[in-house]
Amino acid sequence: DTAVSQTPKYLVTQMGNDKSIKCEQNLGHDTMYWYKQDSKKFLKIMFSYNNKELIINETVPNRFSPKSPDKAHLNLHINSLELGDSAVYFCASSRSLVGEAFFGQGTRLTVV
Amino acid sequence: RKEVEQDPGPFNVPEGATVAFNCTYSNSASQSFFWYRQDCRKEPKLLMSVYSSGNEDGRFTAQLNRASQYISLLIRDSKLSDSATYLCVVNRMNRDDKIIFGKGTRLHILP
């Protein structure tokens, strides 16, 4: 019974396409996140979503937009994909902004 | 100075040895601290939280030194299965609500 699940696990797409990654958590947590891990394995937060408040990392291009239909879901939509968007994207959730985070298995995005 | 810094390693350590690594942070307003473990091509998983009084979980001991702004992780009697990347996480609760991961320290336990 997966606590944080994201789909798809692998995504290969062409430059310029629009794609979405879905994330769901069944832990009853109030906070969800999207992280990007690049080829150098550096894990960087993109967004956090807590009680309907979205906190955006200012370095994230506006081609990336998170969408939260409810507290258990935080999807990531990416417009006009670029080669540099290739990375592993992790969804995570935590009870609060200071609590430990539980991660999904990651989505390996490859833009060709 | 980077917000969270770790020695990237790799640390190559024989099985059974004790290994320790530190993580320094730059912002004194940081409030919560964690160590995560990440295996190759897997998601990060919480190893342990780091409390002001220090905490121990089996072979693992974590400590926080607020004065010098670092946290440490000590692994005793290392096992082959301890081979992984260890990520330091610093969480600062203010308007920025920043959660920062270190780049990780790679640990290889050698048979």
Side-chain angles (χ1 to χ4, degrees):
Chain A
D1 192 22
T2 307
V4 182
S5 60
Q6 51 183 110
T7 55
K9 191 171 181 182
Y10 299 96
L11 182 56
V12 181
T13 188
Q14 289 187 323
M15 279 174 54
N17 284 351
D18 302 339
K19 290 293 178 186
S20 292
I21 308 172
K22 295 186 176 180
C23 179
E24 175 182 4
Q25 54 98 1
N26 63 7
L27 297 167
H29 286 167
D30 287 329
T31 308
M32 295 185 73
Y33 311 86
W34 277 105
Y35 285 85
K36 178 180 179 180
Q37 189 167 43
D38 59 27
S39 57
K40 295 181 180 177
K41 307 300 181 189
F42 186 30
L43 196 66
K44 196 166 184 180
I45 190 167
M46 301 176 71
F47 306 100
S48 61
Y49 201 85
N50 176 260
N51 289 331
K52 299 187 180 180
E53 183 183 2
L54 177 65
I55 301 166
I56 302 170
N57 185 322
E58 62 278 3
T59 66
V60 176
N62 58 13
R63 297 180 296 103
F64 291 78
S65 54
K67 299 196 191 307
S68 180
D70 55 58
K71 206 170 77 166
H73 296 84
L74 185 66
N75 303 325
L76 182 65
H77 190 75
I78 315 169
N79 289 328
S80 303
L81 279 155
E82 300 178 357
L83 293 177
D85 297 333
S86 297
V88 180
Y89 292 84
F90 287 102
C91 174
S93 74
S94 63
R95 191 169 286 119
S96 69
L97 282 167
V98 291
E100 57 265 33
F102 294 81
F103 284 78
Q105 291 184 304
T107 296
R108 186 170 295 274
L109 171 66
T110 304
V111 182
V112 296
Chain B
R1 183 180 177 185
K2 293 181 183 172
E3 290 199 75
V4 177
E5 282 197 84
Q6 295 182 250
D7 183 339
F11 285 49
N12 297 310
V13 175
E15 192 176 7
T18 295
V19 59
F21 23 85
N22 290 343
C23 166
T24 59
Y25 60 96
S26 61
N27 194 306
S28 58
S30 301
Q31 293 195 354
S32 54
F33 308 88
F34 307 93
W35 283 104
Y36 279 74
R37 171 197 169 126
Q38 187 173 23
D39 294 291
C40 187
R41 301 179 79 85
K42 298 284 189 180
E43 72 274 22
K45 290 185 178 177
L46 179 70
L47 180 65
M48 55 200 308
S49 303
V50 187
Y51 304 123
S52 297
S53 55
N55 49 312
E56 187 173 315
D57 182 3
R59 298 181 293 108
F60 298 84
T61 300
Q63 292 192 315
L64 167 64
N65 186 316
R66 283 195 184 273
S68 301
Q69 294 185 195
Y70 72 87
I71 64 172
S72 63
L73 179 67
L74 178 81
I75 306 174
R76 287 181 297 278
D77 187 24
S78 53
K79 312 290 185 192
L80 294 176
S81 57
D82 294 334
S83 297
T85 297
Y86 291 84
L87 303 165
C88 162
V89 180
V90 174
N91 195 332
R92 187 179 76 209
M93 267 298 288
N94 62 12
R95 287 296 297 171
D96 290 337
D97 293 324
K98 272 184 118 171
I99 303 165
I100 304 166
F101 276 73
K103 293 191 176 184
T105 297
R106 283 190 299 143
L107 174 64
H108 295 154
I109 304 299
L110 307 172

